[in-house]
Amino acid sequence: MSIVITLDVMLAKRKAKSKDLAAAIGITEQNLSLLKQGKVKGVRLETLEAICRYLDCQPGDLLSYEADGKLPQAAGD
């Protein structure tokens, strides 16, 4: 399973710059870049909320789920 982050798409739709978003929500441009690339293991809900507030969007506009084709194993299998 994979969570896909489409923050770059929403930034383009809103004609917003990563630099401005990072400054507005209080994270470094480097950390925002890692988030955009999906190279993070998690994101704080507080950060997600701030991004949504700045970009006037919903979390579902930024995150999507793509199945990898494997079904999870049940416990004891």
Side-chain angles (χ1 to χ4, degrees):
M1 83 178 130
S2 181
I3 300 295
V4 178
I5 300 171
T6 56
L7 178 55
D8 53 345
V9 173
M10 188 54 64
L11 282 166
K13 285 182 180 180
R14 298 294 192 249
K15 296 181 178 151
K17 295 180 182 178
S18 294
K19 180 179 180 178
D20 296 335
L21 174 59
I25 65 174
I27 65 172
T28 66
E29 289 180 59
Q30 182 178 9
N31 283 340
L32 185 62
S33 178
L34 291 171
L35 177 60
K36 285 173 34 179
Q37 296 172 42
K39 293 185 177 181
V40 295
K41 294 206 181 259
V43 60
R44 290 176 182 238
L45 293 178
E46 179 181 331
T47 302
L48 183 58
E49 179 184 354
I51 292 170
C52 289
R53 187 179 317 113
Y54 184 85
L55 295 175
D56 189 29
C57 65
Q58 295 295 314
D61 296 328
L62 303 172
L63 306 171
S64 62
Y65 168 77
E66 287 185 7
D68 61 6
K70 296 179 184 176
L71 295 176
Q73 292 276 327
D77 284 350

